[in-house]
Amino acid sequence: MKRLFIPSVICATSFLAITLFANSNPPKPSPLLGTWKLISSKLISKGDTTNTTPPAGQEMIKVFTNSQFSFFTHDLNKGKGEKPVFSAGSGTYTLQGNVYKEHLVFCSFRDWENQDFTFTMTIKKDTIEQRGIERIENLGVDHEIVETYVRVGN
């Protein structure tokens, strides 16, 4: 009897483990995955709206993994013009429904590092609108941004 019991238990346990593993739902990939190009942005401060991006001769992209984001801005003259531009930042994010939260860990504007921002994110096909308040009291930053991105590549 013992000879049949132990192999039966091992087979049953293996079958259960395989069944549970096969039926587990893998985490859903973020709808933000990939690379996005900034096509417009506005800064709203004290009731005044300024169209801020993209300035002539510059471009910006934002790249998302399942939990990380990074952004890069550079001039199109490869740093050889009168006013070379390069800036970058990276950190973690969460997206729950349309509530998008960033924690900026690295930034070429170092005083912005380790800041948290909450935005409303609307995703429609290949377009994102990110809207929310950027506030950093010790820097005097207190404005709303509205950014629109389109997906580039896959």
Side-chain angles (χ1 to χ4, degrees):
M1 183 83 157
K2 281 185 178 180
R3 284 185 166 158
L4 291 174
F5 180 73
I6 292 174
S8 297
V9 169
I10 291 171
C11 286
T13 304
S14 298
F15 178 76
L16 180 62
I18 291 169
T19 302
L20 289 174
F21 182 77
N23 290 334
S24 67
N25 293 328
K28 225 178 177 183
S30 171
L32 298 176
L33 278 180
T35 304
W36 301 79
K37 183 176 180 178
L38 183 67
I39 59 168
S40 72
S41 81
K42 298 176 187 172
L43 185 137
I44 304 163
S45 180
K46 298 178 184 169
D48 291 332
T49 301
T50 306
N51 291 320
T52 55
T53 302
Q58 294 181 25
E59 66 182 354
M60 177 186 169
I61 61 168
K62 197 163 189 176
V63 181
F64 294 94
T65 68
N66 270 328
S67 61
Q68 308 269 325
F69 73 94
S70 6
F71 60 86
F72 306 93
T73 302
H74 72 158
D75 63 85
L76 299 175
N77 293 324
K78 299 184 180 191
K80 301 197 185 325
E82 217 172 278
K83 295 181 181 179
V85 173
F86 181 82
S87 63
S90 180
T92 58
Y93 79 91
T94 59
L95 178 64
Q96 295 179 342
N98 68 344
V99 177
Y100 171 74
K101 295 182 180 184
E102 287 183 348
H103 177 71
L104 187 58
V105 178
F106 302 100
C107 188
S108 51
F109 301 105
R110 303 300 296 271
D111 290 337
W112 284 63
E113 290 182 343
N114 295 310
Q115 300 293 324
D116 295 303
F117 304 98
T118 300
F119 302 100
T120 300
M121 174 92 51
T122 306
I123 306 168
K124 293 181 183 171
K125 296 184 182 181
D126 67 345
T127 304
I128 298 172
E129 182 183 273
Q130 179 179 327
R131 173 187 292 264
I133 303 295
E134 292 180 328
R135 184 175 291 125
I136 307 173
E137 286 185 33
N138 63 322
L139 297 179
V141 173
D142 187 6
H143 55 247
E144 180 179 5
I145 63 164
V146 180
E147 298 178 336
T148 304
Y149 297 86
V150 294
R151 186 181 296 277
V152 294
N154 292 339

